[in-house]
Amino acid sequence: MNVAVKTSPPTQSCVQSRIAGAYFYDAWQVNAAYPELEPLEQYIRVMQDTPKWLDGLMRLRNLIGGIVGLKDLGVFSAIEPNKAGASYSIGDRVGIFTLLERHAHEVLLGDEDKHLSVVVAVYMEEDSVSGVTKVTITTCVHIKNCLGKLYMLPVTPVHHQVARRITQAIGQV
């Protein structure tokens, strides 16, 4: 079985410049089941197949967050079904995130709200020894205020499970 493992953010990743001062960051890596897909396509493929429980958590987050003035992000699976990865432009929404940067081996997606700033990097590299394509998903969170700290209390432990599950799905056929 192709298992996602906790790792360090790749040193060549563009997300490295965003880690300084982060309240929270983590990275998970897996061997790509479809190494021919570019980074955004890796992300889109697994988000289109988001489990109902995960979209349910996002709906709960949006409901509770709305009470304290957080914006409704929608759900992970809200990906346009017939839109190819190559047709996304910087600034387009891809599920709950906005496409921030696009490079040959990496995409950065994120969201900005009054309580925190989140960036998710999907980074791909071929192992020079084995020839296996590895995908690393790094999440970086900067909090802006006490609401951000309060928000992250329940989110942090759940995030570890969600990030691991999403990364794991990239390694599955």
Side-chain angles (χ1 to χ4, degrees):
M1 179 178 209
N2 197 0
V3 177
V5 294
K6 194 164 174 82
T7 189
S8 298
T11 56
Q12 304 85 359
S13 172
C14 295
V15 81
Q16 283 290 345
S17 66
R18 298 169 187 254
I19 289 175
Y23 175 81
F24 168 88
Y25 71 91
D26 72 352
W28 293 86
Q29 186 177 78
V30 72
N31 296 339
Y34 297 94
E36 69 279 7
L37 298 179
E38 55 101 359
L40 184 57
E41 291 169 333
Q42 298 283 353
Y43 181 80
I44 289 170
R45 180 179 80 83
V46 297
M47 290 298 104
Q48 286 177 325
D49 198 26
T50 299
K52 290 185 186 331
W53 66 265
L54 188 48
D55 276 350
L57 283 178
M58 281 307 296
R59 285 184 185 93
L60 180 62
R61 175 255 179 237
N62 293 331
L63 180 68
I64 294 170
I67 295 169
V68 294
L70 303 183
K71 66 181 170 185
D72 186 326
L73 296 175
V75 294
F76 285 102
S77 64
I79 304 280
E80 293 183 49
N82 298 318
K83 188 171 182 177
S87 64
Y88 282 88
S89 300
I90 302 300
D92 286 352
R93 291 296 282 184
V94 187
I96 68 168
F97 295 118
T98 299
L99 181 58
L100 303 175
E101 293 183 33
R102 178 183 226 144
H103 308 279
H105 298 288
E106 180 176 33
V107 292
L108 271 61
L109 303 127
D111 192 69
E112 192 79 29
D113 204 350
K114 68 181 185 182
H115 66 306
L116 54 78
S117 174
V118 177
V119 173
V120 175
V122 181
Y123 182 86
M124 294 178 63
E125 64 184 334
E126 185 176 312
D127 184 284
S128 59
V129 176
S130 68
V132 172
T133 299
K134 298 187 177 292
V135 176
T136 305
I137 298 183
T138 304
T139 305
C140 180
V141 178
H142 286 266
I143 59 170
K144 298 178 178 179
N145 51 37
C146 292
L147 178 58
K149 284 184 182 179
L150 185 61
Y151 178 85
M152 287 303 292
L153 286 174
V155 168
T156 299
V158 173
H159 166 80
H160 291 297
Q161 298 306 311
V162 170
R164 184 178 56 76
R165 185 263 174 233
I166 290 169
T167 307
Q168 184 84 22
I170 286 174
Q172 296 173 348
V173 177

